[in-house]
Amino acid sequence: MPRTHGGWFRLVAVAEAYSWAGLLIAMAFKYGLDMSLGVTVMGWVHGAVFTAYVIACLVVFSPLRWSFWVLVAAGLSSIPPFATVVFERWAGRRGLLEVPDTDAPTFWGRVRYVLRELN
């Protein structure tokens, strides 16, 4: 079981790719063999895992100190099949899945500060 933000992100990114594969296989059965039940089930599974991936991106981008553009790239990688794994490998090579040692505020810390100043 993952214990870090990067580990959870990796888990969800790979699960999203597997759900894409399952959906594509189910679509082959639907249109090739006229068996549509698989698309109903795998469509639901893929939708749930896709939602989990988007939520994981929004949860981990602040502690991992991702820039806005890295967050956008992570979100866009959920659209083409298997691109979440490509993004995860790229982010891992660049060290974006490790929490940096810094005292700078996170994104949500900055938002909290701004909201306090507005009140």
Side-chain angles (χ1 to χ4, degrees):
M1 215 52 180
R3 295 176 189 237
T4 64
H5 291 45
W8 279 106
F9 180 78
R10 280 189 168 111
L11 177 72
V12 176
V14 171
E16 205 273 342
Y18 274 111
S19 73
W20 253 120
L23 182 59
L24 293 174
I25 291 168
M27 288 173 63
F29 274 90
K30 177 181 180 177
Y31 295 111
L33 302 173
D34 199 30
M35 302 167 80
S36 62
L37 179 62
V39 172
T40 303
V41 173
M42 282 310 300
W44 184 88
V45 168
H46 176 67
V49 177
F50 170 82
T51 303
Y53 177 79
V54 171
I55 290 170
C57 289
L58 293 172
V59 167
V60 304
F61 94 97
S62 182
L64 296 177
R65 307 251 193 304
W66 286 356
S67 70
F68 174 74
W69 296 111
V70 173
L71 177 63
V72 168
L76 290 176
S77 73
S78 65
I79 298 170
F82 313 115
T84 56
V85 173
V86 174
F87 175 82
E88 179 267 324
R89 303 280 181 195
W90 175 83
R93 282 194 312 268
R94 300 231 185 289
L96 296 171
L97 298 180
E98 304 297 325
V99 177
D101 288 335
T102 180
D103 290 334
T106 64
F107 172 80
W108 295 115
R110 289 185 198 126
V111 169
R112 187 177 19 209
Y113 173 77
V114 168
L115 291 175
R116 282 187 193 148
E117 291 298 313
L118 289 174
N119 283 332

